[in-house]
Amino acid sequence: MDLTIKSTKTLHNGVEMPRFGLGVYKMTDKEAAVEAMLAAIEAGYPAIDTAAIYQNEEEVGEAVRSSRVKREDLFITSKVWNTDQGYDNTLRAFEASLKRLGFDYLDLYLTHWAIPETYEETYRAIQRLYDEKLVRSIGVSNHQQHHLEKILAKANMKPMVNQIELHPQLTQEPLRQFCADNDIAVTSWSPLARGRLLDEPVLAKIGEAHGKTIAQVVIRWHLQSDLIVIPKSVTPSRIKENADVYGFMLSEEEMKMIDGLNQDWRTGTHPDQITV
């Protein structure tokens, strides 16, 4: 797979979504957040993934306007939080997110979690935002196969993306296959398992073979697995390091070794156990 930092995945509506971007979860210090986002944009990151609950949409907007990159050349994602779900609430939540960002559209808007009572109506509202051309692409986050099946049974426009926790110790292969079968792109959140992988001997050995860090090996694994990946860091040097994953390629054997680390271990909540 011939990849660069500008490589994209074509979503089923034809929109080109960057395969690599910056996750901004827990970036709550305003100054540090803007600095990190600007460092990422200057390092060539083509995408930023935020959410209403992260409380940094304003900082995303500020960083984009302060950068030397045009808004239309960046791919910005946000999400509707659990307590804002439902048809009317989602429309209001989206309007509030746009206002905080200072944008007149989003590139991707997602349901954050599948709240049992509301996720179907939430997605119906997101479809309306797409129909009104306020978002270029739509999708969900943290949805299991049974959630997706319910949405697909009713949707006028099926989700283009499912953003899920995914890393070498949680490879999510059955869900990934279901998404692939239905032309739904998969984005990996917590791609480095919140640091748990950074002393994994198998990854260390592969890293040594390529002169790369464990984090770089894992990010490359995501990319070569046809996943969209959004590693998070507030440190400018680490932000640059995370993007330096295009000068090497993992072999088929190395990819299988990394796949073999799966333990179905989660850093976060199981989607079927989420509550408002």
Side-chain angles (χ1 to χ4, degrees):
M1 188 181 288
D2 187 18
L3 295 165
T4 73
I5 198 170
K6 299 299 184 186
S7 291
T8 60
K9 183 172 181 65
T10 305
L11 304 181
H12 70 69
N13 68 336
V15 167
E16 298 291 335
M17 181 174 178
R19 292 177 177 270
F20 180 82
L22 179 73
V24 298
Y25 176 55
K26 289 192 173 180
M27 289 192 191
T28 51
D29 180 276
K30 180 179 175 64
E31 188 174 328
V34 172
E35 181 183 346
M37 294 170 195
L38 272 171
I41 294 170
E42 289 170 6
Y45 281 59
I48 297 177
D49 180 277
T50 186
I53 195 64
Y54 299 171
Q55 297 185 337
N56 56 24
E57 289 173 314
E58 290 180 358
E59 286 77 4
V60 172
E62 181 179 333
V64 170
R65 286 185 290 276
S66 299
S67 76
R68 292 171 287 185
V69 178
K70 295 177 181 177
R71 162 67 186 96
E72 58 266 31
D73 292 332
L74 294 168
F75 194 99
I76 309 298
T77 299
S78 194
K79 313 174 193 77
V80 56
W81 183 240
N82 304 345
T83 52
D84 292 328
Q85 286 193 34
Y87 188 83
D88 292 335
N89 286 346
T90 295
L91 298 177
R92 285 191 286 267
F94 175 80
E95 186 177 349
S97 282
L98 268 194
K99 185 175 181 180
R100 287 189 291 268
L101 286 157
F103 299 155
D104 54 12
Y105 73 97
L106 271 176
D107 296 284
L108 177 63
Y109 197 51
L110 309 175
T111 310
H112 208 140
W113 291 87
I115 301 303
E117 301 80 10
T118 53
Y119 76 91
E120 291 177 83
E121 283 297 288
T122 298
Y123 187 74
R124 191 166 70 88
I126 290 175
Q127 287 183 115
R128 175 176 168 179
L129 296 170
Y130 179 76
D131 291 340
E132 294 179 353
K133 301 190 186 309
L134 292 167
V135 289
R136 297 177 61 232
S137 48
I138 57 177
V140 297
S141 185
N142 302 302
H143 280 42
Q144 299 284 84
Q145 179 173 331
H146 66 92
H147 299 127
L148 293 170
E149 287 171 339
K150 278 194 171 183
I151 286 175
L152 291 172
K154 297 180 180 179
N156 297 321
M157 177 62 71
K158 66 183 179 181
M160 290 137 204
V161 176
N162 187 16
Q163 183 180 129
I164 56 176
E165 181 179 352
L166 204 159
H167 47 74
Q169 291 186 344
L170 181 68
T171 55
Q172 299 260 37
E173 290 181 16
L175 181 54
R176 284 162 58 188
Q177 187 60 56
F178 179 84
C179 289
D181 291 343
N182 287 278
D183 203 8
I184 300 170
V186 173
T187 299
S188 307
W189 68 257
S190 194
L192 301 173
R194 296 183 184 172
R196 177 173 155 128
L197 300 170
L198 299 182
D199 57 359
E200 168 55 56
V202 170
L203 297 173
K205 183 178 180 181
I206 294 171
E208 288 172 10
H210 293 280
K212 293 293 181 180
T213 66
I214 286 177
Q216 289 169 324
V217 167
V218 174
I219 292 168
R220 182 73 196 189
W221 171 82
H222 284 275
L223 292 167
Q224 286 185 217
S225 299
D226 195 29
L227 299 163
I228 295 159
V229 62
I230 46 171
K232 186 208 87 173
S233 178
V234 295
T235 308
S237 61
R238 185 65 54 80
I239 287 169
K240 290 181 180 179
E241 181 182 284
N242 286 346
D244 185 18
V245 293
Y246 299 99
F248 74 108
M249 182 176 290
L250 299 171
S251 68
E252 186 175 340
E253 180 183 359
E254 289 169 332
M255 291 291 290
K256 288 180 179 177
M257 289 168 64
I258 299 172
D259 289 340
L261 297 174
N262 181 53
Q263 300 174 9
D264 292 330
W265 179 85
R266 294 178 183 272
T267 71
T269 305
H270 191 288
D272 287 334
Q273 298 171 347
I274 196 70
T275 58
V276 176

